[in-house]
Amino acid sequence: MEFDGVKQIEIDMLGLSQIYLSSEKITSIEKWFDPQCMENFQPLCVHDFGNQRYTITDGHTRAYVAYKNGISVLPAVYDRNDIVTGPIGQMLYKADIDWCERFRLSHIMHLENRILDRDAYQKLWIGRCDRSYDLLTQASDSEQALLQKLTSDLFLYGASEDMSIFFFENKAGQLFMYQDGIFLPE
């Protein structure tokens, strides 16, 4: 499903790789966004991760603001950046897509109730991505499977950089830390 150049894609056909939006970024985009003049709208970056859908890799907030302004088709470019296409990028984005599926986030409108202020966004999204990176790059698949078996009601999503703390969440999105054999709310 790769393509060259800019392609117009219906917003309903775009998958997500992000589970939160930043209120600060939304406000910033709303200042320049003009639904009557889409020529100034930088194309979203999308990639097909094997799920037969173009997933947004960059531009969730722009897509959200466009959607809120009644735009149904957006320009997109196919993301071939090494950060996305390399082995680590593939693992990280597939984890992001799994999170979206677990939280039933399949359309940009589903992020409407997942908009956070700066501090919460930093902790819940940026921190989550950092923890996921640490887990996926330092623990083998078999180590991750063993950790996941510690509990059946929580999902393993990350680790501290030194692998001394592991991070889990429940279906409601509540966060827990596992350290020294003990689960604690985060």
Side-chain angles (χ1 to χ4, degrees), residues 25-167:
K25 289 181 179 182
I26 291 170
T27 300
S28 175
I29 290 170
E30 287 174 334
K31 288 179 182 175
W32 61 259
F33 182 78
D34 179 0
Q36 305 303 316
C37 184
M38 289 298 289
E39 298 87 41
N40 296 329
F41 191 91
Q42 182 180 13
L44 305 176
C45 294
V46 299
H47 190 84
D48 176 11
F49 291 94
N51 55 356
Q52 302 306 306
R53 187 172 193 187
Y54 292 118
T55 299
I56 301 171
T57 57
D58 184 46
H60 287 80
T61 309
R62 287 180 285 125
Y64 177 78
V65 170
Y67 169 77
K68 292 300 283 183
N69 280 275
I71 304 298
S72 61
V73 177
L74 294 172
V77 294
Y78 197 81
D79 197 339
R80 292 180 177 89
N81 189 307
D82 288 342
I83 293 171
V84 173
T85 62
I88 293 173
Q90 289 286 302
M91 284 190 314
L92 292 170
Y93 274 99
K94 286 179 181 175
D96 295 347
I97 292 166
D98 287 345
W99 297 338
C100 290
E101 289 173 1
R102 193 165 59 244
F103 288 113
R104 294 188 174 108
L105 305 172
S106 60
H107 190 282
I108 200 71
M109 72 178 169
H110 295 150
L111 294 177
E112 185 166 46
N113 295 318
R114 300 182 70 84
I115 299 170
L116 306 173
D117 66 29
R118 178 198 311 231
D119 293 338
Y121 183 79
Q122 188 66 34
K123 176 186 177 192
L124 295 175
W125 180 243
I126 303 301
R128 176 189 202 89
C129 293
D130 291 344
R131 292 171 176 167
S132 177
Y133 175 84
D134 291 335
L135 176 70
L136 293 172
T137 59
Q138 296 185 57
S140 69
D141 289 345
S142 59
E143 290 171 318
Q144 291 176 47
L146 284 173
L147 287 163
Q148 183 58 64
K149 286 183 180 180
L150 293 171
T151 175
S152 60
D153 355 349
L154 300 176
F155 301 99
L156 174 66
Y157 79 86
S160 61
E161 192 173 355
D162 65 2
M163 299 293 285
S164 65
I165 303 171
F166 298 93
F167 297 93

